[in-house]
Amino acid sequence: MPRILTYNVHRCLGTDGQLSPSRIADVIAAYEPDIVALQELDVRRARTGGVDQAHVIARALGMQMHFHAAIKVMDEEYGNAILTHRPSYLVRAGRLPGLAGRPAIEPRGALWASVNIGGADLQIVNTHLGLRRAERLAQVDALLGPQWLGHPACREPVILAGDLNAIPRSRAYQRLAGHLSDAQAAPHVRRPQPTFPGRMPMLRIDHVFVSRAIEVLRAEAVRSPLARVASDHLPLLIEFRVVQRMHVVREVGNVPKGGIETVC
């Protein structure tokens, strides 16, 4: 079954103070995901040695990489990426709204890629939302709007993943939950698991939301010894299958007849 892993890598700076993109790649590789949604990547930034972290991690995993810079100053970039070894292409990448009159707030962004899973085109949106409630709500509204999840091309099956900085009782989470399902609330999942902070996780702010065509089979926060030190967040791993509703029109009476096809 395919797997998606979402991971805030904290610019590959571990809780032990070490910078190591290769260690992040090792954490991911141990779970063999098909799709990886990464947040807080440095690309050619002086503070992390000028390394293109997105490229280094993708190369170590043997994956194609789609990157979007939420912040770009000269040649230095900081943002999010979608990695996969499946056939894929970037559909959209762009900024999300901030707060009016607050230019000092860190810019946020999202990227949307189409990934082919066993013949099904899976729409993946990866994002990292802001720290303030009003900011997150504006960003969720944008993601649900016509340029992202509300776009005609963003049709079933759909997954939204990332660090939302929103706990389940927050308004931002609840607004998303009105349109998509929290993977950790799926029937096959025993109990939701927190992902932050990495050493002693208490908060559930990293999420994977899925559309109706996604059946979640497994969800877990990766708690390996290496994951506990590689970043200040734990990765969240989701195993799933795509269930496509096929509509066949009968010749007599033109009455629709539905069927179910599972794509692994």
Side-chain angles (χ1 to χ4, degrees), residues 49-96:
V51 173
D52 185 335
Q53 295 181 341
H55 179 75
V56 168
I57 295 169
R59 183 175 58 190
L61 296 171
M63 290 182 164
Q64 178 185 7
M65 182 267 294
H66 306 287
F67 176 77
H68 171 253
I71 299 175
K72 185 171 184 177
V73 180
M74 301 296 287
D75 198 40
E76 296 190 10
E77 297 180 328
Y78 173 76
N80 312 314
I82 295 172
L83 281 56
T84 183
H85 60 78
R86 303 275 190 155
S88 67
Y89 62 90
L90 183 65
V91 179
R92 178 178 173 80
R95 289 269 188 100
L96 294 177

Side-chain angles (χ1 to χ4, degrees), residues 6-21:
T6 184
Y7 195 4
N8 182 325
V9 300
H10 189 52
R11 67 180 189 272
C12 301
L13 178 65
T15 55
D16 57 359
Q18 293 187 31
L19 275 167
S20 180

